Amino acid sequence: MTSVAVLGTGLMGLPMGRNLARAGMRVRAWNRTRDKALPLEADGAVVAHSPVEAVEGADVILTMLSDGDAVREAVTAAAPGLRDGQVWAQMSTVGVPAAEHLASLAAEHGLTYVDAPVQGTRQPAEQGKLVILASGPASAREVLEPVFGALGQRTLWLGDAGAGTRLKMATVSYGISLTAVVAEALSLARGLGLDPDLVRQVITGGPMDNAYFQAKSAAILSGDFTPSFTVRNAEKDTRLIREAGEGVGVRLDVVAAAGERFRRAVAQGHGDEDMAATYFASFDEA
């Protein structure tokens, strides 16, 4: 039976930890705000009081935290409980430079580092249907197979550690930019005195239609901004994406503009809502 330490039980980490426990793995979870991890006890997980307690004896350490600094702090705090050879699956979206720094941190502690960010939001995490962008040593694959199998519908192994984060920058750029495009189209219709649902009616069933458009337009039209991925996290990712592009001389004008929209939405008070709330950034009022 695989033993997994889950560090971070937020919007994504909580359902991921639940799926691991329900798959029969021994799960010890830690979250900075402990109450957010307590629901996992109903599925048989142990909620640890510290990162050290979570990682002691674990076969796999899984991190799903807000950014690279939060990951580094958690793993550094866990250091007294780490042992050589433990597999660390780093599944947060942290950006290219941070992924490299975390690989160095893993080497300092003798950990086998697998860079494995996920493509998907809260609903795929709940359903165990994430796409896992894994990169790291082949020696880690056997121990991670049941873990990734419980979390995702498929795993892409991409070579040396770091390739997963580089691919995540490209794929999350698509999702973030598309969200902004949908929001702008609906907001323009409203501004022109039309029912924004007319945009949905025109696109539905045509060559521009897709499931993502339907999901985000439905959120906007219904006013239901229950977060699958928050405005605040999307804004953070736009900065990571731009940083990745700048590092290789690639200009990313669309994602830069999306970042400006997300920052306006945060300033309007929508930071913890679903990123479809970038819709409000088109208007002066919140």
Side-chain angles (χ1 to χ4, degrees), residues 190-203:
R190 171 183 157 184
L192 294 171
L194 299 169
D195 180 353
D197 186 60
L198 291 170
V199 176
R200 183 196 61 79
Q201 293 178 40
V202 170
I203 291 174

Side-chain angles (χ1 to χ4, degrees), residues 1 8 12 35 38 46 53 82 85 90 114 140 147 151 162 189 203 209 221 235 253 257 269 285:
M1 185 184 298
M12 297 288 288
D35 286 351
L38 291 177
V46 173
E53 182 183 342
L82 300 175
Q90 203 308 100
V114 176
V147 175
L151 300 176
I203 291 174
D209 195 11
L221 292 168
E235 190 281 325
D253 301 319
E285 75 276 11

